[in-house]
Amino acid sequence: MAKYFFSSESVTEGHPDKLCDQISDAVLDAILEKDPKAHVACEVTATTGMLHIMGEISTDCYVDIASIAREVAIDVGYKSNRYGFDGNTCGVITSIDVQSPDIAMGVNASYEMQNGEGQDEFDQIGAGDQGMMFGFACDETPELMPLAISLAHKVCKRLSEVRKNGQFPYLRPDGKAQVTIEYEDGAPVRVDTVVLSTQHSPDVSLEEIRADVLEHVIKKAIPEKWLDERTKYYINPTGRFVVGGPAGDTGLTGRKIIVDTYGGYGRHGGGAFSGKDPTKVDRSGAYAARHVAKNIVAAGLAKKCEVQLAYAIGVAHPISIAVDTYGTSAYSSEQLENAVRKVFDLRPAAIIRNFDLCRPIYRQIANYGQIGREELNLPWEQRDKVDALKAALQ
């Protein structure tokens, strides 16, 4: 019997990197609400008493970026200097330029259109950059996500819930969790280890934190069937976590791309999501790749599937599509790739239209994963191509 372990982590919305992701996506949402065709690349850094919002934004509308940043920080829970950061009084610097005209030229008029090869409206927009994106799905959870990242998200969401509802007033916004799954013969069998660190007030004992978090966070978030007498728990293992958030670590947009996706279980192309409008295939291409992989698994064509898409800047069609089912499919990679090409239109403009991506939907997914969020009815989580894939393989 082959046994191995795999770990994934998630973080709360008060983590300094996630604070930055949320501000970036809140700015994007505010602009898309007024100008759905805007080109946005907004990044944020956060440190003690300071937010810096920078990037390239091309739009005819006006949004108050500094006010948006403050509102997000306060909403997350940073509303008093007692927590190490206060959205009401922190400094806010904005450094915004327009999108490079050289990039805009390729996005607004694709290679295909410029060279007379364009066939329809979806050839009018080229990819916003070169790069490769990965999508992944497996049958370990109902939402077809790896179990470790699914449980890590649930633990962090529960930690934020008991903080926000006032059940444990000593909790502060920053926190993270890590879950280790034991596998036997490729299938998850139990949770081996849970690590959780939460920011807290200075006047609470470590024993109280550990007892409360174990009973009311971890055991409420993780179904009992995965826990046993051998499961190990490490709660605030350093013994103290009073200084947190931007006062404890500098935050930066796009530094939690593994938390945003598959917890390291599937590969990642390296491109971040937050603050980018959907012409950036780092974002839209990754969503499309997830949609493909999820439908392959949902159709019963594989138990595990990874899809890679690769793009060239200014070119509408992906330059390569690769499907890997890790030996869990009765079909070859070539057969599945051919079926994907028949069923899915993976040009950026088609992805944007089919997923309706020019809407202000992004801040809500800046926390707890941008993939696998079935409760939000996101278009890339739909299992709407199952029958078409089966038909394409006949």
Side-chain angles (χ1 to χ4, degrees):
M1 182 181 297
K3 178 189 292 188
Y4 63 92
F5 299 84
F6 191 87
S7 303
S8 293
E9 76 159 353
S10 182
V11 300
T12 67
E13 60 251 49
H15 187 283
D17 293 332
K18 270 296 153 203
L19 172 64
C20 294
D21 283 342
Q22 290 167 93
I23 293 171
S24 292
D25 276 333
V27 171
L28 173 63
D29 281 352
I31 293 172
L32 290 179
E33 190 168 13
K34 295 181 176 181
D35 181 7
K37 295 184 178 181
H39 287 170
V40 180
C42 177
E43 301 192 31
V44 179
T45 60
T47 188
T48 305
M50 178 68 67
L51 296 171
H52 187 182
I53 298 94
M54 67 205 87
E56 298 76 43
I57 299 175
S58 296
T59 181
D60 293 330
C61 76
Y62 171 78
V63 298
D64 189 339
I65 291 176
S67 292
I68 292 169
R70 292 184 186 281
E71 288 168 6
V72 171
I74 293 167
D75 182 59
V76 164
Y78 289 117
K79 50 191 175 183
S80 169
N81 285 323
R82 290 181 300 145
Y83 305 160
F85 196 86
D86 185 355
N88 295 289
T89 59
C90 68
V92 180
I93 299 172
T94 59
S95 305
I96 304 296
D97 203 349
V98 297
Q99 183 183 48
S100 161
D102 296 340
I103 295 175
M105 180 174 66
V107 173
N108 296 334
S110 73
Y111 173 89
E112 289 90 337
M113 293 299 292
Q114 294 179 59
N115 289 273
E117 301 171 10
Q119 300 296 314
D120 58 34
E121 61 180 312
F122 293 147
D123 285 326
Q124 293 177 8
I125 295 180
D129 201 354
Q130 70 177 46
M132 66 284 188
M133 300 85 219
F134 289 93
F136 183 83
C138 63
D139 62 0
E140 293 180 9
T141 62
E143 67 272 25
L144 304 184
M145 287 287 286
L147 182 60
I149 188 64
S150 179
L151 294 181
H153 285 325
K154 287 178 169 62
V155 170
C156 283
K157 287 176 76 173
R158 177 63 182 168
L159 180 60
S160 286
E161 181 183 322
V162 298
R163 171 179 66 86
K164 289 183 171 182
N165 68 18
Q167 185 171 352
F168 301 114
Y170 59 79
L171 292 176
R172 298 292 183 256
D174 197 358
K176 58 172 59 177
Q178 181 174 287
V179 176
T180 301
I181 303 296
E182 180 180 334
Y183 286 80
E184 291 181 359
D185 294 331
V189 294
R190 57 183 290 272
V191 170
D192 181 75
T193 307
V194 181
V195 183
L196 186 150
S197 295
T198 179
Q199 186 186 10
H200 58 85
S201 66
D203 54 357
V204 62
S205 70
L206 180 61
E207 291 73 23
E208 183 178 357
I209 294 171
R210 287 176 171 172
D212 290 342
V213 166
L214 178 60
E215 292 302 318
H216 299 282
V217 176
I218 295 172
K219 290 188 175 180
K220 293 290 186 182
I222 299 179
E224 187 178 358
K225 68 176 182 177
W226 296 114
L227 304 174
D228 60 27
E229 69 281 355
R230 293 183 294 138
T231 301
K232 300 179 285 292
Y233 305 97
Y234 297 96
I235 299 168
N236 279 23
T238 67
R240 182 177 172 86
F241 187 5
V242 172
V243 179
D249 286 295
T250 298
L252 177 64
T253 298
R255 204 154 53 185
K256 286 292 176 282
I257 56 177
I258 300 303
V259 172
D260 285 340
T261 52
Y262 308 99
Y265 201 96
R267 286 177 284 191
H268 198 293
F273 298 164
S274 289
K276 296 178 180 178
D277 75 79
T279 65
K280 279 73 171 175
V281 284
D282 281 341
R283 176 163 234 159
S284 53
Y287 295 163
R290 161 63 175 176
H291 188 228
V292 174
K294 185 171 184 177
N295 275 270
I296 288 173
V297 174
L301 304 176
K303 293 175 64 65
K304 183 189 299 186
C305 179
E306 183 178 75
V307 173
Q308 185 201 52
L309 306 178
Y311 291 89
I313 186 169
V315 179
H317 289 268
I319 60 174
S320 73
I321 300 172
V323 178
D324 186 355
T325 58
Y326 305 90
T328 67
S329 177
Y331 298 94
S332 69
S333 292
E334 184 179 9
Q335 288 175 306
L336 290 169
E337 287 158 16
N338 288 335
V340 168
R341 291 181 187 275
K342 291 178 184 177
V343 172
F344 297 88
D345 191 338
L346 297 169
R347 291 173 291 177
I351 296 168
I352 290 167
R353 190 201 69 172
N354 294 337
F355 289 170
D356 195 11
L357 291 180
C358 293
R359 298 173 289 149
I361 60 173
Y362 297 105
R363 190 196 160 188
Q364 66 177 337
I365 54 173
N367 299 306
Y368 312 121
Q370 305 210 17
I371 304 296
R373 302 289 298 279
E374 289 192 336
E375 77 278 10
L376 298 177
N377 199 33
L378 299 167
W380 54 91
E381 294 298 326
Q382 303 306 308
R383 309 174 192 218
D384 52 354
K385 300 296 185 181
V386 166
D387 292 338
L389 278 170
K390 290 179 179 177
L393 288 162
Q394 298 303 313

